[in-house]
Amino acid sequence: MNILDKIVADKRREVELKKSLIPVSQLMQSVLMERKTLSLAQRLRNSKSGIIAEHKRRSPSKSIINNSLNVQDVAKGYEQASVCGMSVLTDGKYFGGSLDDLLIARASSNIPLLRKEFIIDEYQILEAKAYGADVILLIAAMLSRSEIKILSETAKALRLEVLLEVHNEEELGKSIMPSLDMLGVNNRNLKTFDVSLEVSKELSSKIPDDFVKVSESGISSVDAIKELRPYGYQGFLIGENFMKTDNPGKHAAEFIKILES
């Protein structure tokens, strides 16, 4: 059983428990349900940097990254750094995140927010909208084609954008459909945790141009981004690189300044 299978099993139990505690009718009453969402895809298309900066306390591969920062400061810092969007980890067990992190990031900033979560149920998409997300993440490795279709169409009906993440050609093949906005290539092998930018390079030509191409994981330098740009990537998700510092916003600003110079 790899880490993803374990996470999915835990997530199914978690979602069932949440449904029994907070009914859909309660989520639908959130004032944020009426909020006009911000387009991350559009910002990435028009941006010189393409940076999506992440708030992440810990991860299964790196354990603790940074537990001492508050989300409000990180969100404000990222907005001041002019990132295109912010990814907020909401998984508690493996990443130390929560939906409250998303809510605080929304209250503290006016940038597109991606709910980074292991989404297996339409209920989680309603949660994302109710807590202020603009974008949801779907992970092809843990979903069938029909699940991707149902979940992405649910997101579109709520005016949320969809970033779909793939790790290989097989996942990409089953995933391409009009209800996606962005296709993300994760450079990390989920079984070994090894990271290689070659994954993004190899898959780039197989992603139709209708989708914004995003490269994820292992992007810790300006050079890595410059290396991937010729392959058509317009978005770059950076997590640990900024989060392992004492001031992620400041480091993101410096990174973007070098990148755009």
Side-chain angles (χ1 to χ4, degrees):
M1 198 180 197
N2 68 30
I3 185 78
L4 204 55
D5 296 333
K6 199 165 171 311
I7 290 172
V8 171
D10 284 336
K11 199 54 67 178
R12 290 199 193 284
R13 286 191 290 272
E14 183 190 309
V15 171
E16 287 315 307
L17 177 64
K18 279 189 165 180
K19 281 180 177 175
S20 68
L21 295 171
I22 302 172
V24 165
S25 57
Q26 196 175 322
L27 289 176
M28 295 304 287
Q29 286 165 9
S30 163
V31 292
L32 292 168
M33 277 290 181
E34 299 307 313
R35 182 183 152 265
K36 190 177 185 299
T37 44
L38 303 167
S39 171
L40 176 61
Q42 211 174 329
R43 291 212 183 183
L44 292 174
R45 280 199 181 96
N46 300 332
S47 166
K48 279 196 202 157
S49 77
I51 301 295
I52 306 162
E54 194 153 78
H55 178 269
K56 175 159 68 171
R57 292 186 181 87
R58 55 186 166 89
S59 74
S61 61
K62 289 274 167 73
S63 65
I64 290 174
I65 298 161
N66 197 331
N67 266 339
S68 63
L69 299 168
N70 73 61
V71 183
Q72 188 177 0
D73 291 344
V74 176
K76 284 182 170 169
Y78 281 157
E79 184 173 26
Q80 285 164 359
S82 299
V83 301
C84 293
M86 176 176 173
S87 161
V88 182
L89 260 303
T90 60
D91 172 77
K93 183 169 181 181
Y94 296 91
F95 290 88
S98 73
L99 274 165
D100 282 348
D101 289 340
L102 186 59
L103 204 55
I104 293 165
R106 177 75 293 143
S108 316
S109 66
N110 193 33
I111 50 177
L113 295 181
L114 162 71
R115 180 186 186 189
K116 197 160 185 207
E117 179 56 90
F118 301 94
I119 291 181
I120 47 161
D121 193 294
E122 291 159 271
Y123 179 85
Q124 293 163 288
I125 301 174
L126 285 170
E127 276 184 333
K129 179 75 177 172
Y131 280 80
D134 300 283
V135 191
I136 59 151
L137 175 76
L138 296 178
I139 301 171
M142 50 190 264
L143 300 166
S144 66
R145 181 173 175 85
S146 63
E147 286 170 329
I148 293 168
K149 187 174 190 298
I150 290 163
L151 293 169
S152 58
E153 286 176 357
T154 300
K156 300 313 289 177
L158 289 166
R159 301 185 302 280
L160 293 170
E161 289 189 331
V162 181
L163 167 63
L164 183 110
E165 173 180 302
V166 300
H167 296 84
N168 53 45
E169 196 172 339
E170 186 191 348
E171 289 174 11
L172 182 62
K174 74 172 182 186
S175 304
I176 292 173
M177 55 187 77
S179 44
L180 310 175
D181 301 278
M182 294 160 277
L183 268 160
V185 178
N186 193 331
N187 300 305
R188 177 173 280 117
N189 182 313
L190 288 178
K191 295 188 175 84
T192 62
F193 288 132
D194 291 341
V195 175
S196 167
L197 296 184
E198 294 307 312
V199 184
S200 281
K201 292 178 185 176
E202 283 163 20
L203 291 182
S204 67
S205 61
K206 298 174 178 72
I207 301 172
D209 290 336
D210 321 0
F211 306 105
V212 176
K213 296 180 197 179
V214 178
S215 186
E216 311 168 19
S217 293
I219 299 165
S220 56
S221 68
V222 167
D223 288 346
I225 290 175
K226 289 184 172 168
E227 205 179 309
L228 290 169
R229 279 239 176 95
Y231 292 86
Y233 286 92
Q234 291 174 295
F236 307 93
L237 184 75
I238 300 183
E240 288 157 25
N241 202 39
F242 301 146
M243 278 303 291
K244 65 187 180 191
T245 69
D246 57 351
N247 189 334
K250 179 170 165 275
H251 283 83
E254 288 165 0
F255 189 95
I256 289 170
K257 197 177 168 189
I258 296 166
L259 184 59
E260 290 182 345
S261 62

